[in-house]
Amino acid sequence: MKDKILEKATDLFLKLGFKSVTMDDLANELGMSKKTIYTYFDNKTRLVEESTSYLFSNITNGINNICSLKHNPIVEMFEIRKFIISNLKDESSSPIYQLQKYYPKIHKSLKKEQFTFMQKCVIENLKEGIEEGLFRKNLDIEFISRIYFSGMTAIKDDDFFPPEQFSKIKLMDNYLEYHLRGIVTTKGKKVLTDIIKSNQS
């Protein structure tokens, strides 16, 4: 029952925002009483905390599974992008903004976990790309891994990228291409171009 509540809560939070969804909304969606929900979660803050952990765990497991398939590093980045988009909602409600504003401690903790995980993934991806001759040898790996995370965080900021003007999916596509074009070799550029053409067809 707890997993069912968590799954539905996470879905609603992503669609409507962490502040917008009430416990009454969740109870109505699940067809159960609030009392039942409170049996598993003491309060909404606890539910938000466990929902973000649930989502983060699902995404990291999915990314780890993709990495285990040993695609070339450029293909791997596009596969991860595809997976993330399939798991996050392209909505204008800005759930991350609401999380940061109304649940700052949870947001800060989540951001720290995201940075640690993403930096590790990007560093491994960069090293593999260099070894395979797809990425330039003179890259400052530590710098790029951090600037990549910084950019991914920035494109989620509605003040910089108003949702009525910028689609979240398009932003992710543009940022990934921007990132890769800055680090690829001639060999890597061909792979990147082929993937982009394939995705457009």
Side-chain angles (χ1 to χ4, degrees):
M1 180 61 75
K2 183 177 180 179
D3 287 345
K4 182 181 177 182
I5 296 171
L6 209 50
E7 187 176 340
K8 176 55 71 174
T10 303
D11 184 58
L12 289 175
F13 288 147
L14 287 176
K15 283 181 179 177
L16 305 172
F18 290 94
K19 175 66 174 177
S20 303
V21 178
T22 67
M23 296 299 260
D24 282 319
D25 294 331
L26 181 57
N28 289 336
E29 283 285 332
L30 288 166
M32 63 176 63
S33 67
K34 282 198 297 183
K35 184 178 179 181
T36 302
I37 296 174
Y38 284 122
T39 302
Y40 298 96
F41 303 96
D42 295 338
N43 50 53
K44 186 181 173 183
T45 299
R46 183 62 181 167
L47 178 60
V48 169
E49 185 177 21
E50 291 204 34
S51 292
T52 55
S53 294
Y54 172 81
L55 179 62
F56 180 72
S57 178
N58 285 346
I59 290 177
T60 54
N61 287 339
I63 291 174
N64 284 332
N65 287 337
I66 291 169
C67 293
S68 71
L69 298 175
K70 299 298 180 184
H71 294 295
N72 82 55
I74 296 176
V75 171
E76 181 177 274
M77 291 294 282
F78 276 90
E79 288 299 311
I80 289 173
R81 163 212 158 273
K82 190 189 303 180
F83 170 75
I84 291 174
I85 287 173
S86 72
N87 280 269
L88 298 178
K89 312 296 180 184
D90 185 34
E91 300 291 336
S92 60
S93 58
S94 185
I96 296 299
Y97 173 78
Q98 288 195 14
L99 184 67
Q100 183 176 7
K101 183 176 180 180
Y102 298 104
Y103 302 93
K105 289 183 179 179
I106 296 174
H107 177 266
K108 185 177 180 180
S109 175
L110 178 64
K111 188 175 179 180
K112 185 177 180 181
E113 285 187 273
Q114 287 176 327
F115 172 72
T116 301
F117 177 77
M118 189 181 290
Q119 188 187 35
K120 177 176 176 289
C121 288
V122 174
I123 286 175
E124 289 176 0
N125 182 271
L126 289 169
K127 287 179 177 178
E128 289 171 11
I130 291 170
E131 287 179 12
E132 294 182 27
L134 298 171
F135 300 155
R136 291 183 284 110
K137 290 182 179 180
N138 64 339
L139 297 177
D140 185 332
I141 291 176
E142 184 69 23
F143 169 76
I144 292 173
S145 68
R146 289 172 181 268
I147 206 71
Y148 182 75
F149 178 80
S150 178
M152 284 296 290
T153 302
I155 64 174
K156 296 172 185 173
D157 190 323
D158 286 357
D159 291 331
F160 290 135
F161 299 100
E164 63 273 10
Q165 186 178 351
F166 297 94
S167 156
K168 290 291 189 290
I169 293 175
K170 189 64 178 175
L171 281 173
M172 287 186 68
D173 287 346
N174 288 344
Y175 185 65
L176 179 55
E177 183 177 348
Y178 175 83
H179 165 71
L180 290 170
R181 286 196 183 280
I183 63 176
V184 291
T185 59
T186 302
K187 178 183 176 183
K189 185 177 179 180
K190 184 181 184 307
V191 174
L192 176 59
T193 301
D194 288 345
I195 292 173
I196 291 172
K197 285 182 179 178
S198 176
N199 287 342
Q200 289 174 343
S201 61

